[in-house]
Amino acid sequence: TGLQRVLRWSTCSQLGEMMVALGLGGARAAAFHLAVHAAFKSTLFLAAGIVQEQAGTRSLDRLGGLIRALPLAGAAFLVAALALAGVPPLSGFWSEEEILAVASRHGPGAGVLVVLLVLLGGTYIGRAGAAAFLGPRRGPTEPGKPAWTMRAGTLALALAAAGLGWLLAGHLDAFLPFGASPGAEVAWRNLGIAAGLLGLGIGAVRGRDGSPALGPWPGRLAAGLSAITTAPVRWTTRLARRLGSVEDALDVAARGVAGWAWSAGEAAGRVEAGFARLGDGLAAWLAAGGERLRALQAGRLYLYTLGLFAWATAALAAGALLLWL
């Protein structure tokens, strides 16, 4: 990894601390840390720029032992690293103390979170500084001397990284509209200082030989998080592939049901048409019979008497025939 890349990612870490403070209602602490962070991070980037210009590389595995060739850059990097880790009385101590005070008032969980952030900050900046300035020289070329303008700017920024927090601590009310907050309790303050120093020590020990600051654990954690996040994607993909076959089967079943329903509808139509023809035929037959019966009802009395006489004669004839036989 490159030295400036570590510093860029450290900016994300410091912004995370500020966001924690803002989320917990500590706008004054976040603004204070923003101003202090600008001082010590500018120092770190300028020192890293000197290293890259004079050593010809920014890769940590090709640096090392630069404290002898670039003592001013090494000293400035050390001061800024101590400030970033919150070591008193440097500038980062004052702002991180306010963030820790805000967090600890909201419960031990928030306080422990900030302490862990301080520990990690000290670890990565300690490793970067040790890999660049301590240990054996691993670079192919011997670094030169920076220009006096670079040395003057580095010295000025190192002084700001050392004393800006102390200068602003008692005068923030004149610049910021936020009310002052009480300082952190002694236990939390000492815990934060210890976390920063512990992180610097771990990072320095691991960085002298170029080893990762936390060994294989970050890689394992990243692999675990990757597995956790990619597992739902794999499951969803497999489910989507299976849903395709299920969808095809349902489509075939739906087409079959639709075909059966269509056939049943056509058969019902034919049955209905047959009943309609039967009903129409019966209605026509009844109508014809009614017309014939209606013809017998002409309303003429002599016809009714003649018909009655004919029926009576036929009945008598039939009776006589039956008696004779």
Side-chain angles (χ1 to χ4, degrees):
T1 59
L3 179 58
Q4 292 185 351
R5 183 184 180 188
V6 174
L7 298 182
R8 287 193 295 269
W9 280 109
S10 75
T11 301
C12 299
S13 171
Q14 298 300 308
L15 289 175
E17 289 190 32
M18 299 176 207
M19 292 301 105
V20 170
L22 283 175
L24 297 177
R28 183 179 187 274
F32 188 12
H33 193 63
L34 178 63
V36 170
H37 172 262
F40 63 69
K41 188 54 64 69
S42 299
T43 307
L44 291 170
F45 269 109
L46 185 55
I50 293 175
V51 168
Q52 180 178 354
E53 181 180 1
Q54 301 304 319
T57 181
R58 56 187 176 186
S59 180
L60 291 177
D61 57 359
R62 299 180 62 191
L63 299 174
L66 294 178
I67 191 64
R68 294 181 293 274
L70 302 171
L72 181 59
F77 196 97
L78 175 62
V79 171
L82 292 173
L84 186 150
V87 177
L90 302 177
S91 57
F93 163 74
W94 304 94
S95 59
E96 288 185 350
E97 182 193 16
E98 286 208 15
I99 294 177
L100 188 56
V102 172
S104 60
R105 288 201 309 272
H106 284 78
V112 170
L113 174 62
V114 173
V115 170
L116 289 177
L117 291 176
V118 173
L119 174 65
L120 292 176
T123 302
Y124 63 66
I125 202 62
R127 176 184 178 272
F133 294 98
L134 302 180
R137 182 79 181 95
R138 294 185 292 270
T141 59
E142 190 65 24
K145 297 292 183 182
W148 71 268
T149 52
M150 295 286 286
R151 295 197 299 270
T154 304
L155 180 60
L157 287 175
L159 292 175
L164 183 61
W166 175 75
L167 291 175
L168 292 178
H171 303 87
L172 279 177
D173 296 338
F175 303 101
L176 300 176
F178 313 116
S181 58
E185 298 180 1
V186 176
W188 282 107
R189 180 188 305 169
N190 293 337
L191 186 59
I193 296 172
L197 291 174
L198 178 61
L200 285 171
I202 295 174
V205 170
R206 303 291 295 181
R208 285 178 64 90
D209 56 357
S211 301
L214 299 178
W217 291 107
R220 294 176 182 175
L221 178 61
L225 292 176
S226 177
I228 292 173
T229 54
T230 56
V233 177
R234 291 197 300 268
W235 296 338
T236 304
T237 304
R238 293 175 182 174
L239 180 61
R241 291 173 179 173
R242 293 180 180 178
L243 284 178
S245 58
V246 173
E247 183 180 0
D248 293 340
L250 290 176
D251 184 64
V252 171
R255 289 177 182 273
V257 172
W260 176 83
W262 183 269
S263 301
E266 290 181 345
R270 290 193 294 269
V271 172
E272 182 181 4
F275 275 112
R277 288 193 297 271
L278 179 62
D280 292 341
L282 179 61
W285 181 79
L286 291 176
E291 290 292 334
R292 292 188 181 90
L293 291 175
R294 187 174 63 179
L296 297 178
Q297 303 294 326
R300 294 170 182 170
L301 183 60
Y302 72 91
L303 291 177
Y304 298 156
T305 305
L306 180 61
L308 180 62
F309 177 75
W311 279 105
T313 302
L316 290 174
L321 182 60
L322 289 174
L323 292 174
W324 184 73
L325 294 176

mmCIF file of all heavy atoms in Angstrom, residues 221-255:
data_model
loop_
_atom_site.group_PDB
_atom_site.id
_atom_site.type_symbol
_atom_site.label_atom_id
_atom_site.label_comp_id
_atom_site.label_asym_id
_atom_site.label_seq_id
_atom_site.Cartn_x
_atom_site.Cartn_y
_atom_site.Cartn_z
ATOM 1 N N LEU A 221 -11.678 -10.560 8.223
ATOM 2 C CA LEU A 221 -12.919 -9.810 8.442
ATOM 3 C C LEU A 221 -13.533 -9.397 7.113
ATOM 4 O O LEU A 221 -14.755 -9.506 6.917
ATOM 5 C CB LEU A 221 -12.623 -8.583 9.301
ATOM 6 C CG LEU A 221 -13.812 -7.654 9.585
ATOM 7 C CD1 LEU A 221 -14.902 -8.403 10.337
ATOM 8 C CD2 LEU A 221 -13.369 -6.434 10.384
ATOM 9 N N ALA A 222 -12.669 -8.926 6.190
ATOM 10 C CA ALA A 222 -13.184 -8.545 4.878
ATOM 11 C C ALA A 222 -13.788 -9.740 4.148
ATOM 12 O O ALA A 222 -14.838 -9.630 3.505
ATOM 13 C CB ALA A 222 -12.057 -7.922 4.048
ATOM 14 N N ALA A 223 -13.103 -10.897 4.264
ATOM 15 C CA ALA A 223 -13.644 -12.097 3.621
ATOM 16 C C ALA A 223 -14.977 -12.507 4.237
ATOM 17 O O ALA A 223 -15.915 -12.901 3.525
ATOM 18 C CB ALA A 223 -12.631 -13.237 3.733
ATOM 19 N N GLY A 224 -15.059 -12.399 5.586
ATOM 20 C CA GLY A 224 -16.314 -12.735 6.236
ATOM 21 C C GLY A 224 -17.439 -11.797 5.847
ATOM 22 O O GLY A 224 -18.560 -12.238 5.555
ATOM 23 N N LEU A 225 -17.138 -10.491 5.811
ATOM 24 C CA LEU A 225 -18.164 -9.527 5.402
ATOM 25 C C LEU A 225 -18.561 -9.738 3.948
ATOM 26 O O LEU A 225 -19.737 -9.614 3.594
ATOM 27 C CB LEU A 225 -17.636 -8.100 5.603
ATOM 28 C CG LEU A 225 -17.430 -7.656 7.053
ATOM 29 C CD1 LEU A 225 -16.815 -6.265 7.104
ATOM 30 C CD2 LEU A 225 -18.747 -7.676 7.822
ATOM 31 N N SER A 226 -17.563 -10.071 3.119
ATOM 32 C CA SER A 226 -17.882 -10.340 1.715
ATOM 33 C C SER A 226 -18.781 -11.564 1.585
ATOM 34 O O SER A 226 -19.735 -11.569 0.799
ATOM 35 C CB SER A 226 -16.584 -10.539 0.927
ATOM 36 O OG SER A 226 -16.860 -10.877 -0.412
ATOM 37 N N ALA A 227 -18.467 -12.596 2.393
ATOM 38 C CA ALA A 227 -19.310 -13.797 2.341
ATOM 39 C C ALA A 227 -20.727 -13.499 2.815
ATOM 40 O O ALA A 227 -21.708 -13.989 2.244
ATOM 41 C CB ALA A 227 -18.682 -14.899 3.186
ATOM 42 N N ILE A 228 -20.821 -12.675 3.872
ATOM 43 C CA ILE A 228 -22.151 -12.346 4.402
ATOM 44 C C ILE A 228 -22.964 -11.555 3.388
ATOM 45 O O ILE A 228 -24.174 -11.756 3.238
ATOM 46 C CB ILE A 228 -22.006 -11.575 5.721
ATOM 47 C CG1 ILE A 228 -21.430 -12.491 6.813
ATOM 48 C CG2 ILE A 228 -23.342 -11.004 6.171
ATOM 49 C CD1 ILE A 228 -21.106 -11.774 8.099
ATOM 50 N N THR A 229 -22.303 -10.639 2.697
ATOM 51 C CA THR A 229 -23.022 -9.789 1.754
ATOM 52 C C THR A 229 -23.293 -10.474 0.424
ATOM 53 O O THR A 229 -24.291 -10.168 -0.243
ATOM 54 C CB THR A 229 -22.227 -8.497 1.506
ATOM 55 O OG1 THR A 229 -20.887 -8.829 1.101
ATOM 56 C CG2 THR A 229 -22.178 -7.650 2.756
ATOM 57 N N THR A 230 -22.384 -11.394 0.026
ATOM 58 C CA THR A 230 -22.600 -12.061 -1.266
ATOM 59 C C THR A 230 -23.502 -13.289 -1.160
ATOM 60 O O THR A 230 -24.071 -13.711 -2.173
ATOM 61 C CB THR A 230 -21.252 -12.502 -1.878
ATOM 62 O OG1 THR A 230 -20.554 -13.344 -0.937
ATOM 63 C CG2 THR A 230 -20.401 -11.286 -2.205
ATOM 64 N N ALA A 231 -23.639 -13.859 0.047
ATOM 65 C CA ALA A 231 -24.496 -15.041 0.194
ATOM 66 C C ALA A 231 -25.949 -14.749 -0.215
ATOM 67 O O ALA A 231 -26.540 -15.537 -0.975
ATOM 68 C CB ALA A 231 -24.423 -15.564 1.625
ATOM 69 N N PRO A 232 -26.566 -13.661 0.253
ATOM 70 C CA PRO A 232 -27.943 -13.390 -0.210
ATOM 71 C C PRO A 232 -28.039 -13.224 -1.720
ATOM 72 O O PRO A 232 -29.042 -13.610 -2.325
ATOM 73 C CB PRO A 232 -28.301 -12.083 0.522
ATOM 74 C CG PRO A 232 -27.424 -12.053 1.718
ATOM 75 C CD PRO A 232 -26.146 -12.690 1.272
ATOM 76 N N VAL A 233 -26.973 -12.666 -2.328
ATOM 77 C CA VAL A 233 -26.999 -12.497 -3.784
ATOM 78 C C VAL A 233 -26.995 -13.856 -4.476
ATOM 79 O O VAL A 233 -27.743 -14.092 -5.436
ATOM 80 C CB VAL A 233 -25.793 -11.652 -4.232
ATOM 81 C CG1 VAL A 233 -25.760 -11.533 -5.754
ATOM 82 C CG2 VAL A 233 -25.847 -10.266 -3.593
ATOM 83 N N ARG A 234 -26.130 -14.760 -3.977
ATOM 84 C CA ARG A 234 -26.094 -16.101 -4.570
ATOM 85 C C ARG A 234 -27.418 -16.830 -4.385
ATOM 86 O O ARG A 234 -27.925 -17.469 -5.317
ATOM 87 C CB ARG A 234 -24.960 -16.914 -3.941
ATOM 88 C CG ARG A 234 -23.566 -16.426 -4.326
ATOM 89 C CD ARG A 234 -22.528 -17.492 -4.027
ATOM 90 N NE ARG A 234 -22.512 -17.832 -2.609
ATOM 91 C CZ ARG A 234 -21.732 -17.256 -1.712
ATOM 92 N NH1 ARG A 234 -20.893 -16.296 -2.090
ATOM 93 N NH2 ARG A 234 -21.759 -17.607 -0.437
ATOM 94 N N TRP A 235 -27.978 -16.720 -3.186
ATOM 95 C CA TRP A 235 -29.263 -17.382 -2.936
ATOM 96 C C TRP A 235 -30.353 -16.797 -3.839
ATOM 97 O O TRP A 235 -31.192 -17.527 -4.371
ATOM 98 C CB TRP A 235 -29.659 -17.229 -1.473
ATOM 99 C CG TRP A 235 -28.721 -17.896 -0.522
ATOM 100 C CD1 TRP A 235 -27.856 -18.919 -0.794
ATOM 101 C CD2 TRP A 235 -28.525 -17.576 0.859
ATOM 102 N NE1 TRP A 235 -27.134 -19.256 0.323
ATOM 103 C CE2 TRP A 235 -27.525 -18.450 1.359
ATOM 104 C CE3 TRP A 235 -29.076 -16.651 1.719
ATOM 105 C CZ2 TRP A 235 -27.078 -18.407 2.678
ATOM 106 C CZ3 TRP A 235 -28.645 -16.606 3.053
ATOM 107 C CH2 TRP A 235 -27.666 -17.476 3.511
ATOM 108 N N THR A 236 -30.346 -15.496 -3.982
ATOM 109 C CA THR A 236 -31.348 -14.858 -4.828
ATOM 110 C C THR A 236 -31.190 -15.283 -6.277
ATOM 111 O O THR A 236 -32.176 -15.531 -6.989
ATOM 112 C CB THR A 236 -31.234 -13.335 -4.715
ATOM 113 O OG1 THR A 236 -31.350 -12.941 -3.332
ATOM 114 C CG2 THR A 236 -32.327 -12.652 -5.514
ATOM 115 N N THR A 237 -29.924 -15.395 -6.736
ATOM 116 C CA THR A 237 -29.678 -15.827 -8.112
ATOM 117 C C THR A 237 -30.165 -17.254 -8.334
ATOM 118 O O THR A 237 -30.810 -17.569 -9.347
ATOM 119 C CB THR A 237 -28.179 -15.722 -8.431
ATOM 120 O OG1 THR A 237 -27.735 -14.378 -8.191
ATOM 121 C CG2 THR A 237 -27.904 -16.092 -9.876
ATOM 122 N N ARG A 238 -29.837 -18.129 -7.376
ATOM 123 C CA ARG A 238 -30.302 -19.516 -7.503
ATOM 124 C C ARG A 238 -31.829 -19.584 -7.493
ATOM 125 O O ARG A 238 -32.438 -20.338 -8.274
ATOM 126 C CB ARG A 238 -29.728 -20.351 -6.368
ATOM 127 C CG ARG A 238 -28.205 -20.525 -6.431
ATOM 128 C CD ARG A 238 -27.697 -21.250 -5.208
ATOM 129 N NE ARG A 238 -26.246 -21.383 -5.222
ATOM 130 C CZ ARG A 238 -25.526 -21.871 -4.212
ATOM 131 N NH1 ARG A 238 -26.148 -22.308 -3.109
ATOM 132 N NH2 ARG A 238 -24.210 -21.942 -4.300
ATOM 133 N N LEU A 239 -32.442 -18.821 -6.603
ATOM 134 C CA LEU A 239 -33.903 -18.815 -6.545
ATOM 135 C C LEU A 239 -34.498 -18.295 -7.835
ATOM 136 O O LEU A 239 -35.502 -18.820 -8.327
ATOM 137 C CB LEU A 239 -34.359 -17.967 -5.354
ATOM 138 C CG LEU A 239 -35.869 -17.860 -5.137
ATOM 139 C CD1 LEU A 239 -36.467 -19.235 -4.872
ATOM 140 C CD2 LEU A 239 -36.176 -16.923 -3.956
ATOM 141 N N ALA A 240 -33.860 -17.262 -8.403
ATOM 142 C CA ALA A 240 -34.367 -16.712 -9.656
ATOM 143 C C ALA A 240 -34.276 -17.739 -10.776
ATOM 144 O O ALA A 240 -35.182 -17.848 -11.621
ATOM 145 C CB ALA A 240 -33.584 -15.455 -10.024
ATOM 146 N N ARG A 241 -33.152 -18.502 -10.787
ATOM 147 C CA ARG A 241 -33.031 -19.527 -11.812
ATOM 148 C C ARG A 241 -34.084 -20.614 -11.643
ATOM 149 O O ARG A 241 -34.637 -21.124 -12.627
ATOM 150 C CB ARG A 241 -31.640 -20.134 -11.765
ATOM 151 C CG ARG A 241 -30.543 -19.162 -12.216
ATOM 152 C CD ARG A 241 -29.174 -19.745 -12.000
ATOM 153 N NE ARG A 241 -28.123 -18.834 -12.456
ATOM 154 C CZ ARG A 241 -26.828 -19.040 -12.264
ATOM 155 N NH1 ARG A 241 -26.427 -20.136 -11.622
ATOM 156 N NH2 ARG A 241 -25.939 -18.163 -12.696
ATOM 157 N N ARG A 242 -34.340 -21.002 -10.392
ATOM 158 C CA ARG A 242 -35.376 -22.018 -10.161
ATOM 159 C C ARG A 242 -36.763 -21.475 -10.444
ATOM 160 O O ARG A 242 -37.647 -22.204 -10.885
ATOM 161 C CB ARG A 242 -35.278 -22.524 -8.727
ATOM 162 C CG ARG A 242 -33.989 -23.302 -8.452
ATOM 163 C CD ARG A 242 -33.916 -23.786 -7.023
ATOM 164 N NE ARG A 242 -32.676 -24.527 -6.789
ATOM 165 C CZ ARG A 242 -32.321 -25.032 -5.613
ATOM 166 N NH1 ARG A 242 -33.126 -24.864 -4.563
ATOM 167 N NH2 ARG A 242 -31.179 -25.688 -5.480
ATOM 168 N N LEU A 243 -36.966 -20.219 -10.190
ATOM 169 C CA LEU A 243 -38.273 -19.627 -10.454
ATOM 170 C C LEU A 243 -38.598 -19.658 -11.938
ATOM 171 O O LEU A 243 -39.764 -19.702 -12.316
ATOM 172 C CB LEU A 243 -38.310 -18.185 -9.937
ATOM 173 C CG LEU A 243 -38.459 -18.010 -8.429
ATOM 174 C CD1 LEU A 243 -38.424 -16.539 -8.060
ATOM 175 C CD2 LEU A 243 -39.751 -18.640 -7.933
ATOM 176 N N GLY A 244 -37.537 -19.637 -12.788
ATOM 177 C CA GLY A 244 -37.791 -19.725 -14.216
ATOM 178 C C GLY A 244 -38.461 -21.037 -14.591
ATOM 179 O O GLY A 244 -39.451 -21.065 -15.343
ATOM 180 N N SER A 245 -37.924 -22.160 -14.060
ATOM 181 C CA SER A 245 -38.545 -23.457 -14.349
ATOM 182 C C SER A 245 -39.926 -23.563 -13.727
ATOM 183 O O SER A 245 -40.859 -24.112 -14.331
ATOM 184 C CB SER A 245 -37.639 -24.592 -13.839
ATOM 185 O OG SER A 245 -37.408 -24.461 -12.440
ATOM 186 N N VAL A 246 -40.070 -23.036 -12.506
ATOM 187 C CA VAL A 246 -41.394 -23.043 -11.865
ATOM 188 C C VAL A 246 -42.385 -22.225 -12.676
ATOM 189 O O VAL A 246 -43.545 -22.606 -12.875
ATOM 190 C CB VAL A 246 -41.277 -22.516 -10.420
ATOM 191 C CG1 VAL A 246 -42.656 -22.362 -9.798
ATOM 192 C CG2 VAL A 246 -40.416 -23.446 -9.575
ATOM 193 N N GLU A 247 -41.907 -21.095 -13.174
ATOM 194 C CA GLU A 247 -42.776 -20.241 -13.988
ATOM 195 C C GLU A 247 -43.188 -20.947 -15.279
ATOM 196 O O GLU A 247 -44.350 -20.867 -15.704
ATOM 197 C CB GLU A 247 -42.051 -18.943 -14.311
ATOM 198 C CG GLU A 247 -42.889 -17.948 -15.100
ATOM 199 C CD GLU A 247 -42.119 -16.687 -15.401
ATOM 200 O OE1 GLU A 247 -40.946 -16.596 -14.986
ATOM 201 O OE2 GLU A 247 -42.691 -15.801 -16.052
ATOM 202 N N ASP A 248 -42.236 -21.678 -15.899
ATOM 203 C CA ASP A 248 -42.580 -22.428 -17.111
ATOM 204 C C ASP A 248 -43.619 -23.506 -16.818
ATOM 205 O O ASP A 248 -44.574 -23.701 -17.600
ATOM 206 C CB ASP A 248 -41.320 -23.069 -17.698
ATOM 207 C CG ASP A 248 -40.337 -22.024 -18.227
ATOM 208 O OD1 ASP A 248 -40.774 -20.891 -18.489
ATOM 209 O OD2 ASP A 248 -39.142 -22.350 -18.331
ATOM 210 N N ALA A 249 -43.427 -24.217 -15.675
ATOM 211 C CA ALA A 249 -44.395 -25.254 -15.314
ATOM 212 C C ALA A 249 -45.772 -24.658 -15.050
ATOM 213 O O ALA A 249 -46.799 -25.194 -15.486
ATOM 214 C CB ALA A 249 -43.902 -26.025 -14.083
ATOM 215 N N LEU A 250 -45.800 -23.541 -14.348
ATOM 216 C CA LEU A 250 -47.083 -22.886 -14.093
ATOM 217 C C LEU A 250 -47.715 -22.394 -15.384
ATOM 218 O O LEU A 250 -48.949 -22.439 -15.542
ATOM 219 C CB LEU A 250 -46.876 -21.714 -13.129
ATOM 220 C CG LEU A 250 -46.516 -22.086 -11.686
ATOM 221 C CD1 LEU A 250 -46.245 -20.819 -10.870
ATOM 222 C CD2 LEU A 250 -47.646 -22.880 -11.034
ATOM 223 N N ASP A 251 -46.887 -21.939 -16.318
ATOM 224 C CA ASP A 251 -47.422 -21.478 -17.594
ATOM 225 C C ASP A 251 -48.053 -22.628 -18.366
ATOM 226 O O ASP A 251 -49.143 -22.496 -18.935
ATOM 227 C CB ASP A 251 -46.281 -20.837 -18.403
ATOM 228 C CG ASP A 251 -46.784 -20.244 -19.702
ATOM 229 O OD1 ASP A 251 -47.581 -19.299 -19.667
ATOM 230 O OD2 ASP A 251 -46.371 -20.749 -20.773
ATOM 231 N N VAL A 252 -47.357 -23.793 -18.354
ATOM 232 C CA VAL A 252 -47.914 -24.969 -19.034
ATOM 233 C C VAL A 252 -49.224 -25.390 -18.376
ATOM 234 O O VAL A 252 -50.216 -25.700 -19.057
ATOM 235 C CB VAL A 252 -46.883 -26.121 -19.016
ATOM 236 C CG1 VAL A 252 -47.508 -27.416 -19.520
ATOM 237 C CG2 VAL A 252 -45.667 -25.746 -19.858
ATOM 238 N N ALA A 253 -49.233 -25.415 -17.023
ATOM 239 C CA ALA A 253 -50.454 -25.795 -16.318
ATOM 240 C C ALA A 253 -51.591 -24.815 -16.604
ATOM 241 O O ALA A 253 -52.752 -25.216 -16.819
ATOM 242 C CB ALA A 253 -50.180 -25.874 -14.814
ATOM 243 N N ALA A 254 -51.243 -23.518 -16.622
ATOM 244 C CA ALA A 254 -52.273 -22.516 -16.890
ATOM 245 C C ALA A 254 -52.818 -22.665 -18.311
ATOM 246 O O ALA A 254 -54.033 -22.525 -18.549
ATOM 247 C CB ALA A 254 -51.691 -21.115 -16.679
ATOM 248 N N ARG A 255 -51.917 -22.966 -19.275
ATOM 249 C CA ARG A 255 -52.391 -23.175 -20.643
ATOM 250 C C ARG A 255 -53.310 -24.400 -20.725
ATOM 251 O O ARG A 255 -54.310 -24.389 -21.446
ATOM 252 C CB ARG A 255 -51.197 -23.344 -21.580
ATOM 253 C CG ARG A 255 -50.405 -22.067 -21.805
ATOM 254 C CD ARG A 255 -49.193 -22.328 -22.692
ATOM 255 N NE ARG A 255 -48.404 -21.136 -22.873
ATOM 256 C CZ ARG A 255 -48.622 -20.225 -23.821
ATOM 257 N NH1 ARG A 255 -49.631 -20.408 -24.680
ATOM 258 N NH2 ARG A 255 -47.858 -19.157 -23.919
#
